[in-house]
């Protein structure tokens, strides 16, 4: 009896143009030791040693026709068996029966039927995995007990991956009920569908099978009756139908013949298919699909734009533009902020929340900037608004009456009353402009309510009293310099630049001077030679030692540009901090990023 000890699966393919038959080792298989399939302890075989050697062979992924396989035959003879036997590196047919077993190197291409050994080994592997992991796979556990949906989803402690992806490939049309079934499969491991004939159950299964095959999944469909399987197969598109292997329970009529026919058709398709042609066809179809999806997206955006153009309203006030639904949603979202507006009506027949005059007044307020963010909220707090009695008193005081007025107020009133209307209108316009400017600064119009500790109050006070005018001009003049250095630093992108932490403005200027000279040295085409350092490199030694770019000392002109940008930023911000201190104002918090003193 001749029996091979090492085996490796092979695959065959046929070139349709040249009829060339190619046999290659299967990439999904590995060299396997089969001594446990036909030997036992009576033959001198030691199970434990054979199992250990089998694991080593599987881990090494050897070529069965290479010299390592011959070495493993000798290893097997020494380790896996205790009975002596002959060993030969070449094989010749025996002329007479031999007295004992003989181990030889005899490669051969063998076609043999499958047996139960692989199935038994598969069952043993399942048992070993379950015993080692302490928890059975979900599909195996469901055969033994009932598991709820939430427990199934969190069975292995990981989030279930999407079953179909963002755009599943369903060859047939789907209705709302069928999409609901397919959507449930995205969230659960099992779904039961029940319905009378003609409701589309088989159609839904055909879509599901096609989408799973498109996701490179393998699908097993079982049924208590053969007719359901044949009907489902006929529902599949012809290209998918050719991939099905049909096994019917009835073998007396056409069950065995149908199985043989489907296997033969699948084998012929695999044998006559060219992988390069299939990949090219897949790329072509994928490109067409992406093109169609792009056209769908474009048309959808055009339809949305047209619909929005039909129903979109002009800007009635800052922040209130778009469709009516968007404006209403924005008002609903600001209900807590605008408590003075009563809740919007739920039906069209209710009384509007604002009268027409009130709505018109609200539009005017919003157009004047009342809806823009500022200190204390977009609109005044209701409690801070003047009471009707106070407004009445103000109107009474505005009359030309000397009662309750101070001499200074009477004098100002009389001067204003005798001015020309154009002058008072110009004064009113200037006052409105001042109030708007204060509003944008987040400062109340009433000067009594200004924060005395704020730098804005100090700047306004100095401007109105015309003091320290030159100092505030120096503070404002540094703005362009800061914008310039910020742009230079932002242009560096993700480069990490470090400079000394205790760097002063004078030291930063000194390092920048030597760095600029070294940058010109490199721009002239010269290099940083450590053995023969130039004068520019010697002068910039402190910069090269104290500053780094991406964790290393500057080496190129680009590295020096990055360091010089940070040094210039340090100098400019230090000068800005000095000018702020000259006007007795606190340094803005943004400067602390550069390590500047407060």
């Amino acid at each position: 009896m001749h029996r091979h000890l090492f085996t490796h699966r092979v695959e065959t393919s046929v070139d349709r143009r040249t009829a060339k038959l190619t046999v290659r080792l299967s990439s999904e298989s590995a060299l396997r030791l089969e001594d446990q399939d036909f030997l036992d302890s009576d033959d001198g075989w030691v199970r434990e040693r054979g199992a250990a050697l089998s694991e080593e062979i599987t881990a090494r992924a050897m070529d069965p026709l290479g010299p390592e396989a011959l070495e493993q035959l000798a290893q097997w003879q020494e380790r896996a068996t205790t009975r002596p036997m002959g060993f030969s590196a070449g094989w010749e047919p025996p002329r007479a029966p031999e007295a004992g077993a003989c181990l030889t190197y005899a490669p051969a291409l063998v076609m043999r039927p499958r047996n139960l050994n692989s199935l038994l080994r598969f069952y043993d592997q399942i048992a070993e995995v379950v015993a080692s992991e302490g928890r059975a796979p979900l599909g195996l556990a469901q055969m033994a007990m009932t598991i709820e949906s939430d427990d199934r989803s969190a069975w292995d402690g990981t989030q279930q991956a999407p079953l179909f992806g963002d755009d599943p490939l369903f060859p047939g049309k789907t209705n709302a009920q069928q999409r609901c079934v397919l959507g449930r499969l995205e969230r659960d491991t099992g779904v039961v569908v029940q319905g009378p004939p003609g409701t589309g159950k088989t159609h839904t299964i055909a879509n599901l099978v096609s989408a799973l095959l498109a996701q490179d999944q393998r699908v097993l469909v079982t049924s208590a009756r053969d007719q359901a399987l044949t009907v489902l197969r006929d529902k599949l598109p012809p290209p998918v139908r050719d991939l099905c292997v049909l096994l019917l329970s009835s073998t007396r009529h056409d069950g065995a013949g149908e199985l043989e026919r489907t296997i033969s058709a699948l084998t012929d398709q695999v044998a006559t298919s060219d992988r390069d042609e299939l990949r090219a066809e897949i790329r072509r179809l994928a490109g067409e699909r992406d093109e169609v999806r792009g056209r769908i997206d474009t048309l959808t955006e055009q339809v949305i734009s047209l619909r929005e153009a039909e129903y979109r309203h002009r800007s009635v006030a800052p922040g209130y533009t778009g469709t009516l639904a968007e404006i209403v949603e924005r008002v609903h979202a600001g209900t807590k902020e605008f408590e003075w507006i009563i809740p919007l009506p739920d039906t069209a027949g209710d009384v509007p929340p604002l009268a027409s005059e009130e709505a018109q007044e609200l539009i005017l307020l919003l157009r004047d900037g009342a809806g823009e963010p500022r200190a204390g909220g977009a609109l005044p707090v209701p409690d801070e608004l003047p009471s009707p009695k106070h407004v009445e008193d103000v109107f009474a005081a505005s009359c030309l009456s000397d009662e309750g007025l101070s001499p200074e107020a009477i004098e100002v009133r009389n001067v204003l009353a005798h001015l020309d209307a154009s002058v008072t209108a110009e004064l009113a316009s200037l006052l409105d402009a001042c109030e708007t400017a204060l509003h944008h600064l987040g400062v109340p119009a009433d000067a009594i309510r200004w924060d005395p500790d704020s730098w804005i109050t100090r700047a306004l006070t100095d401007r109105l009293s015309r003091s320290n005018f030159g100092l505030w001009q120096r503070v404002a003049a540094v703005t362009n310099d800061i914008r310039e250095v910020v742009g230079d630093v932002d242009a560096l992108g993700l480069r990490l630049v470090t400079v000394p932490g205790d760097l002063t403005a004078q030291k930063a200027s000194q390092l920048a001077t030597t760095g600029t000279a070294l940058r010109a040295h490199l721009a002239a085409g010269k290099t940083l030679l450590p053995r023969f350092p130039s004068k520019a490199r010697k002068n910039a030694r402190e910069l090269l030692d104290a500053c780094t770019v991406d964790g290393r000392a500057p080496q190129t002109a680009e590295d020096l540009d990055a360091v010089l940008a940070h040094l210039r930023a340090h100098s400019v911000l230090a000068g800005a901090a000095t000018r702020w201190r000259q006007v007795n104002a606190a340094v803005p918090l943004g400067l602390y990023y550069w390590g500047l003193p407060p």
Side-chain angles (χ1 to χ4, degrees):
M1 180 185 70
H2 303 284
R3 181 66 162 83
H4 278 85
L5 193 63
F6 293 153
T7 62
H8 197 295
R9 287 179 56 190
V10 297
E11 298 174 348
T12 60
S13 61
V14 179
D15 191 334
R16 291 182 294 177
R17 296 187 295 269
T18 63
K20 178 181 178 181
L21 177 66
T22 303
V23 180
R24 63 173 60 88
L25 297 176
S26 174
S27 59
E28 299 180 356
S29 179
L31 190 65
R32 204 156 56 86
L33 179 62
E34 295 189 351
D35 51 1
Q36 72 276 13
D37 293 348
F38 63 93
L39 294 177
D40 53 28
S41 57
D42 295 337
D43 301 314
W45 178 65
V46 183
R47 177 179 298 274
E48 292 76 9
R49 298 178 182 176
L53 186 60
S54 177
E55 293 178 358
E56 295 178 9
I57 293 174
T58 303
R60 295 180 63 179
M62 295 184 303
D63 184 358
L65 303 180
E68 292 183 349
L70 185 61
E71 297 177 2
Q72 289 298 327
L73 283 177
Q75 286 286 330
W76 180 89
Q77 182 186 16
E78 295 177 0
R79 297 171 54 181
T81 180
T82 60
R83 183 168 298 180
M85 61 180 66
F87 177 77
S88 174
W91 181 79
E92 293 182 1
R95 300 178 181 177
E98 299 177 355
C102 182
L103 182 64
T104 62
Y105 181 70
L109 187 63
V110 180
M111 184 170 62
R112 62 185 183 186
R114 293 183 178 272
N115 52 33
L116 296 178
N117 291 326
S118 298
L119 184 60
L120 293 175
R121 282 195 297 270
F122 184 68
Y123 285 155
D124 290 338
Q125 292 176 1
I126 292 177
E128 291 176 0
V129 171
V130 173
S132 62
E133 295 185 358
R135 168 171 283 194
L138 178 60
L140 185 62
Q142 286 182 284
M143 295 181 181
M145 59 182 179
T146 301
I147 305 175
E148 298 298 332
S149 174
D150 295 339
D151 296 332
R152 290 196 300 268
S153 300
W155 181 258
D156 56 356
T158 58
Q159 186 70 24
Q160 182 181 355
L163 188 62
F164 303 114
D166 297 335
D167 189 12
L169 290 174
F170 295 144
K173 296 182 178 180
T174 58
N175 55 29
Q177 291 77 14
Q178 294 168 354
R179 288 192 295 272
C180 179
V181 172
L182 298 173
R184 288 186 60 187
L185 284 172
E186 291 280 357
R187 305 184 299 271
D188 204 345
T189 58
V191 176
V192 177
V193 181
Q194 182 180 3
T199 54
K201 298 186 298 297
T202 306
H203 182 84
T204 303
I205 297 175
N207 275 334
L208 173 62
V209 171
S210 301
L212 291 175
L213 291 177
Q215 295 287 335
D216 199 20
Q217 301 288 329
R218 293 182 293 179
V219 183
L220 173 65
V221 182
T222 61
S223 174
R225 297 188 180 185
D226 294 343
Q227 182 183 6
L229 295 177
T230 56
V231 171
L232 175 60
R233 182 195 60 180
D234 295 339
K235 283 278 188 182
L236 296 172
V240 180
R241 191 183 309 156
D242 296 339
L243 301 176
C244 298
V245 175
L246 186 59
L247 175 60
L248 302 177
S249 60
S250 175
T251 58
R252 292 177 297 175
H253 301 290
D254 59 349
E258 187 68 20
L259 175 62
E260 183 178 355
R261 186 192 66 78
T262 53
I263 292 179
S264 299
L266 181 61
T267 304
D268 293 341
Q269 183 176 2
V270 174
T272 57
S273 299
D274 184 80
R275 292 187 177 182
D276 295 335
E277 292 181 0
L278 290 177
R279 292 192 182 98
E281 182 69 9
I282 290 173
R283 288 193 295 268
R284 184 185 67 80
L285 294 176
E288 292 182 359
R289 180 166 176 256
D290 293 339
E291 182 180 356
V292 172
R293 291 172 63 182
R295 291 176 57 193
I296 292 175
D297 295 339
T298 302
L299 293 175
T300 303
E301 291 179 358
Q302 292 177 356
V303 171
I304 294 175
S305 299
L306 291 175
R307 298 287 292 184
E308 289 183 349
E310 293 176 357
Y311 297 100
R312 205 165 179 84
H313 292 259
R314 63 181 180 82
S315 178
V316 298
Y320 293 89
T321 182
T323 64
L324 288 177
E326 291 174 347
I327 296 175
V328 171
E329 288 180 359
R330 198 171 296 116
V331 173
H332 272 300
T335 300
K336 293 184 178 180
E337 185 177 359
F338 308 119
E339 294 180 350
W340 54 276
I341 301 180
I342 65 175
L344 293 178
D346 295 331
T347 61
D350 292 340
V351 179
L354 296 176
S356 59
E357 296 81 4
E358 294 173 332
Q360 184 65 28
E361 183 67 21
L362 176 60
I363 290 177
L364 294 176
L365 289 173
L366 294 174
R367 286 178 177 172
D368 290 340
E372 299 179 5
R374 65 176 186 176
L379 291 175
V381 179
D383 295 339
E384 297 180 359
L385 294 175
S387 64
K389 180 65 170 59
H390 182 69
V391 174
E392 182 180 355
D393 294 340
V394 171
F395 274 104
S398 64
C399 298
L400 295 177
S401 174
D402 298 342
E403 184 179 357
L405 296 180
S406 63
E408 293 81 4
I410 295 175
E411 182 180 359
V412 172
R413 185 203 62 190
N414 293 335
V415 172
L416 294 175
H418 291 85
L419 290 176
D420 187 77
S422 60
V423 177
T424 55
E426 180 68 19
L427 291 176
S429 175
L430 292 175
L431 290 175
D432 289 340
C434 292
E435 185 176 2
T436 302
L438 293 175
H439 162 68
H440 286 291
L441 288 174
V443 178
D446 189 356
I448 300 177
R449 297 168 54 193
W450 290 359
D451 183 6
D453 297 328
S454 173
W455 69 269
I456 298 178
T457 301
R458 189 182 305 277
L460 291 173
T461 304
D462 289 347
R463 184 61 181 267
L464 293 174
S465 63
R466 297 184 178 273
S467 60
N468 296 328
F469 187 71
L471 294 179
W472 286 108
Q473 280 188 327
R474 286 172 53 81
V475 171
V478 80
T479 303
N480 293 331
D481 296 337
I482 293 178
R483 289 198 184 100
E484 182 179 351
V485 297
V486 168
D488 294 341
V489 173
D490 289 341
L492 299 179
L494 299 178
R495 304 203 69 180
L496 179 60
V497 179
T498 61
V499 297
D502 55 349
L503 192 63
T504 62
Q506 181 179 3
K507 193 64 177 179
S509 176
Q510 179 182 354
L511 292 178
T513 301
T514 58
T516 303
L518 184 61
R519 173 67 174 83
H521 176 77
L522 293 178
K526 300 178 183 180
T527 59
L528 300 177
L529 297 177
R531 181 171 298 180
F532 304 103
S534 61
K535 181 179 180 181
R537 188 182 187 281
K538 291 179 180 179
N539 294 336
R541 177 176 301 174
E542 185 176 0
L543 181 144
L544 297 174
D545 294 339
C547 303
T548 63
V549 179
D550 294 333
R552 55 180 174 79
Q555 299 178 359
T556 63
E558 291 75 11
D559 293 345
L560 286 175
D561 289 338
V563 173
L564 291 174
H566 275 258
L567 292 176
R568 286 193 297 270
H570 189 95
S571 299
V572 170
L573 293 177
T578 301
R579 296 183 183 186
W580 277 98
R581 287 195 295 270
Q582 289 175 352
V583 294
N584 297 322
V587 178
L589 293 178
L591 298 181
Y592 291 124
Y593 171 81
W594 301 93
L596 297 178

